[in-house]
Amino acid sequence: MIPYKQLSLEDIFSDCQEKFENDKPAFLSLLETHIDIDEFIPISFRNHFYASTGRTRVYPLHALLWALIIQRIFSIPTDILLLTFLAYSKPLREFCGFTKVPDASKITRFKQDFLDDLQLVFDRLVDATEPICRAIDSAKADMTIFDSLKSLYSAECQIRS
């Protein structure tokens, strides 16, 4: 009989943290394995995004969302820098689901046109991850939630101005 060890949240967190710091492609595969982005996208957002505009969308909704999530995870301060990372990192580009990198105006327009929908997605992500973060370290969870809300608020202010 093969002995087994039950993984705790702390073990999973430690593994994720080690991968995040030392092996970026492995970290992306952990995200891909454990987060089904489709679960966080409200049907109203899908309908809004894919509403008939007379032409098909070049970039899928999940690719644009993953790019914004990656931007938050890696604390990438600007859309231009995010697009630079996507242009030079094939693993990151493939993870997000891009066959080609969008231009900056596409990202800006996406944020402007779907601001309320994006807020719903990020709220759902926080709702799902916040209890896990609290179980691991409540002080760090408070900082993370505050920083996330602050960055979303500042991004919203930049878009609206």
Side-chain angles (χ1 to χ4, degrees), residues 29-160:
S29 68
L30 282 173
L31 284 178
E32 189 173 51
T33 301
H34 296 289
I35 297 179
D36 180 4
I37 193 71
D38 291 326
E39 291 180 12
F40 297 98
I41 304 171
I43 193 69
S44 59
F45 190 0
R46 278 184 210 290
N47 292 339
H48 188 198
F49 183 78
Y50 289 111
S52 178
T53 60
R55 55 189 153 139
T56 58
R57 297 244 182 221
V58 175
Y59 305 103
L61 177 58
H62 73 273
L64 293 164
L65 286 173
W66 271 124
L68 295 180
I69 292 167
I70 291 297
Q71 185 176 21
R72 297 289 173 237
I73 289 173
F74 292 121
S75 300
I76 301 170
T78 65
D79 293 343
I80 298 294
L81 189 55
L82 170 66
L83 297 173
T84 301
F85 281 124
L86 287 168
Y88 288 105
S89 174
K90 186 176 180 184
L92 188 59
R93 196 170 48 251
E94 288 175 346
F95 169 79
C96 289
F98 290 115
T99 54
K100 67 178 190 170
V101 178
D103 58 27
S105 66
K106 181 62 76 177
I107 298 290
T108 300
R109 211 169 319 117
F110 177 69
K111 288 179 178 180
Q112 289 173 342
D113 293 348
F114 302 104
L115 182 63
D116 293 334
D117 297 308
L118 288 168
Q119 186 66 49
L120 284 173
V121 170
F122 278 92
D123 287 347
R124 286 180 171 196
L125 281 167
V126 168
D127 290 344
T129 57
E130 191 261 344
I132 297 167
C133 293
R134 286 211 182 280
I136 294 167
D137 187 331
S138 64
K140 285 183 181 176
D142 287 338
M143 287 188 318
T144 302
I145 291 166
F146 176 76
D147 288 345
S148 297
L149 293 174
K150 185 172 75 173
S151 68
L152 282 173
Y153 175 74
S154 67
E156 181 178 338
C157 289
Q158 289 175 352
I159 289 170
R160 292 188 190 249

